[in-house]
Amino acid sequence: MTAFTVLMLAAALAFGLAKVLKLPPIPLLMISGIGLRLLADQGMIDISDDLLREMTQIGLAMLVFTAGAELSPRRMRGRAKPIAVLAISQFFVLGTAGFGTALLLDYSVIHALYIGCALSASSTLVVVRQLQQRRQMFEPYGRLVLGVLLLQDAFIVLLMVALLKLPDGAIASALGVLKTMGIGVFALGLHKWLVPWITQRLQLDDEELMLGSLAVLFTFAGMAYLLDIPFLVGAFFAGFALSAFPMNGLARGLLGSLSAFFLALFFISIGAFLSLPSLETIGHSFVFIAVLLVVTIILVSIVAELLGYSTRAAVESGILLSQTSEFSLLLALTGLASGQIGGELFSMIALITVTTMTLTPFIARERIAWSLMKIHPRYKRGELHCETMTDHAVLLGYGRAGARSIRTLQQHGIEVVVIDDDAAVIRKLIEQKIPCLQGDGSDKEVLKRANCRRARVVLSSMRRSRDVILAINYLKDFPAKVVVNTFEHRETEQVRAMGGYPVETSQAAAESLLNWMEANLPKAQEAKS
């Protein structure tokens, strides 16, 4: 009981420091675990390995259970092909890159396999948290990323079972994979038919829902144990079985605090199990981290753009997926328990996982994506020199209404130049022989190249108000009218005060709806009478 109390105090201290220092709590939790191990080795506290092992297993079960509950396949409808292509490409290319790099660094084949598998999948919890904070869970690229995570988790679960059973022979390995697939099919059946039926037909209170969720978790863990595969595989598929709406939201809300509690103890226990890595191991860790970041961002950006996603969506997808997974820790723990890897390699995989998880919130920022987009290969051969154009219209951002705006302006005999930072949009415009420039609509040099000073009108659909302000400031002393698409009343007043002509989206949509109703409802009423 005393040892458990010490773990809880260490978790509270780590969370408190994380809040004060405004840092992610995971590395501080692991540092707390390392500190506890040093104190235990000095005989100052008594924490048994059995307790740490139990906390690790329980915490990891909650970790993969929570990850599975976030991955409902219903969110990915209509995107099966791009999801499959991107997931398979990233998983196998990144896994091969990690495997090859490990061989070059003189790791054994089995160790290189573990490293390659650990690098090949991205963290569901980290990515989902980022998408939720940005409110992008249901955007096209958000659904793409979630679909990729679901397939990657399924791949790594199967590979983990195959690696674990490999010492027993190829037949045992294949049989373990088949058993895992059987549990997956059973979970899919529950997800598709039973869980929605229960939530719709039975009026369950919060306590019953929580107990039911835990019962599903223990049932799947028991099935995995009986089938002689890691019980954590069962925990993942239990979460997947409950991932259907509205059960996933209910499970997340009811089990959120419980999950956070055990996850804190899990990362402290992981820290306590870590052996102090050598300088060579630390150096190798940073090599693998560099490979992970570079390969993931470049590969995902290229593949997603080829699949029809915009450059920005492709780059943001690559950044979001550039970390290792909680399943990497599960894989490493499984290999450590089976004796296939040692403590040094386990510590390296844990270091890579925690470091990349911690880095993601810092690199998955808008300005990082914009910086990467600026070095994207451009299509200047199709761009036009617009410095001599006059009395023309300039579109700052193609947006959803770009095609209609261009068509309307051209019908009135007004030449149009489009400025957009998305290389995919620029390529499309070049193919349509529409004058365009790739760049930032708030950049003075880009505005100068489009000769905005002599334009008749500048139409802005840029999302960030800061960019709009920069563009208006540049053009305020020139005759061009600046028409700005705004989203909030505050932005509308700000644009008007600066001399621009705001068009508030919500107001315009309401006026359009009212005009349509006035024009069509009387006709419908006459037809009915």
Side-chain angles (χ1 to χ4, degrees):
M1 188 65 183
T2 303
F4 188 73
T5 303
V6 170
L7 290 177
M8 293 179 63
L9 289 174
L13 179 62
F15 274 110
L17 285 175
K19 187 173 183 179
V20 172
L21 300 176
K22 296 181 180 180
L23 293 173
I26 292 177
L28 294 178
L29 288 168
M30 295 190 69
I31 291 173
S32 298
I34 294 172
L36 292 180
R37 169 58 69 183
L38 293 176
L39 293 175
D41 291 341
Q42 296 295 324
M44 300 177 66
I45 58 175
D46 183 19
I47 298 180
S48 66
D49 288 345
D50 290 338
L51 175 63
L52 294 175
R53 194 172 293 109
E54 289 175 0
M55 290 299 100
T56 300
Q57 292 178 343
I58 295 174
L60 195 50
M62 295 299 299
L63 187 69
V64 297
F65 175 71
T66 305
E70 297 288 355
L71 297 177
S72 173
R74 299 185 182 186
R75 292 174 177 169
M76 304 89 178
R77 287 177 178 174
R79 295 177 175 83
K81 181 179 178 181
I83 287 172
V85 171
L86 184 55
I88 293 171
S89 300
Q90 183 194 352
F91 191 85
F92 288 101
V93 171
L94 191 56
T96 302
F99 177 77
T101 304
L103 290 181
L104 290 175
L105 294 174
D106 291 330
Y107 286 86
S108 65
V109 173
I110 188 65
H111 286 180
L113 281 172
Y114 269 92
I115 293 171
C117 291
L119 295 183
S120 60
S122 304
S123 171
T124 300
L125 294 180
V126 171
V127 174
V128 168
R129 187 177 297 114
Q130 290 297 308
L131 289 174
Q132 288 174 340
Q133 291 175 353
R134 299 176 178 191
R135 299 181 181 179
Q136 294 175 327
M137 289 282 286
F138 299 99
E139 290 190 8
Y141 100 94
R143 293 174 181 267
L144 173 71
V145 169
L146 289 173
V148 169
L149 292 171
L150 176 59
L151 284 185
Q152 286 183 351
D153 287 349
F155 291 157
I156 200 166
V157 164
L158 294 175
L159 278 174
M160 180 188 66
V161 174
L163 282 173
L164 183 63
K165 297 294 183 179
L166 192 60
D168 298 330
I171 295 178
S173 181
L175 186 59
V177 170
L178 289 176
K179 292 177 181 178
T180 304
M181 293 175 67
I183 293 182
V185 171
F186 179 65
L188 181 61
L190 292 183
H191 166 88
K192 192 171 183 179
W193 292 295
L194 183 59
V195 172
W197 183 86
I198 290 176
T199 55
Q200 291 173 8
R201 299 295 181 88
L202 302 181
Q203 300 296 324
L204 302 177
D205 58 29
D206 290 350
E207 291 183 358
E208 291 171 332
L209 286 170
M210 184 174 69
L211 290 174
S213 300
L214 293 175
V216 172
L217 171 60
F218 294 136
T219 298
F220 273 85
M223 289 173 58
Y225 175 78
L226 292 175
L227 293 174
D228 193 26
I229 57 178
F231 81 96
L232 296 169
V233 173
F236 170 72
F237 284 118
F240 175 76
L242 298 176
S243 63
F245 178 84
M247 192 62 201
N248 57 345
L250 294 172
R252 188 190 307 119
L254 295 172
L255 299 177
S257 300
L258 186 64
S259 174
F261 171 76
F262 283 110
L263 288 182
L265 297 181
F266 164 73
F267 282 110
I268 289 178
S269 301
I270 287 291
F273 274 123
L274 291 179
S275 59
L276 189 64
S278 63
L279 291 177
E280 182 183 36
T281 300
I282 294 174
H284 289 179
S285 299
F286 285 108
V287 170
F288 289 118
I289 290 172
V291 170
L292 169 68
L293 293 174
V294 173
V295 173
T296 302
I297 293 175
I298 293 177
L299 176 68
V300 173
S301 298
I302 292 174
V303 174
E305 190 172 333
L306 290 175
L307 291 169
Y309 287 82
S310 68
T311 300
R312 179 167 185 164
V315 170
E316 289 183 337
S317 298
I319 295 174
L320 277 178
L321 291 170
S322 57
Q323 78 286 125
T324 48
S325 171
E326 50 275 356
F327 282 93
S328 301
L329 292 175
L330 170 57
L331 181 71
L333 280 171
T334 303
L336 182 65
S338 66
Q340 292 177 312
I341 66 173
E344 186 79 6
L345 185 57
F346 169 76
S347 298
M348 188 181 75
I349 292 175
L351 178 61
I352 294 171
T353 301
V354 173
T355 302
T356 53
M357 282 182 168
T358 305
L359 281 176
T360 298
F362 294 100
I363 66 174
R365 295 181 177 181
E366 195 172 57
R367 69 170 181 266
I368 302 294
W370 283 80
S371 299
L372 292 175
M373 288 172 64
K374 289 180 180 179
I375 63 175
H376 189 286
R378 300 182 176 223
Y379 304 93
K380 290 186 176 180
R381 287 180 296 176
E383 294 180 341
L384 297 181
H385 295 284
C386 311
E387 291 87 346
T388 59
M389 295 179 66
T390 59
D391 203 35
H392 58 295
V394 180
L395 266 62
L396 304 182
Y398 188 69
R400 296 180 179 179
R404 186 175 179 181
S405 300
I406 292 171
R407 185 167 57 251
T408 301
L409 291 166
Q410 289 177 340
Q411 288 174 353
H412 288 79
I414 301 175
E415 290 186 286
V416 185
V417 177
V418 179
I419 297 175
D420 201 283
D421 54 27
D422 198 312
V425 171
I426 295 298
R427 180 172 54 196
K428 177 181 177 181
L429 294 172
I430 290 172
E431 292 172 354
Q432 297 174 355
K433 298 183 179 179
I434 295 173
C436 57
L437 294 170
Q438 184 181 6
D440 188 346
S442 64
D443 189 331
K444 293 181 180 179
E445 294 301 319
V446 176
L447 295 173
K448 188 180 296 184
R449 286 174 58 201
N451 205 17
C452 290
R453 295 178 174 183
R454 296 188 179 182
R456 180 186 301 186
V457 63
V458 177
L459 306 173
S460 171
S461 61
M462 295 186 292
R463 292 192 303 171
R464 298 187 300 179
S465 57
R466 180 179 64 85
D467 293 341
V468 174
I469 292 171
L470 291 173
I472 294 177
N473 279 333
Y474 174 76
L475 297 168
K476 64 182 179 180
D477 296 327
F478 299 95
K481 293 183 178 180
V482 183
V483 181
V484 179
N485 181 25
T486 59
F487 302 92
E488 299 177 0
H489 183 67
R490 176 184 57 82
E491 295 178 355
T492 300
E493 294 302 320
Q494 188 177 26
V495 169
R496 184 177 290 114
M498 297 180 66
Y501 295 83
V503 178
E504 193 167 340
T505 302
S506 57
Q507 182 178 353
E511 290 178 359
S512 177
L513 175 62
L514 290 173
N515 291 336
W516 181 89
M517 291 175 65
E518 290 176 0
N520 292 275
L521 289 183
K523 296 178 182 180
Q525 188 66 30
E526 291 173 5
K528 185 177 179 179
S529 60

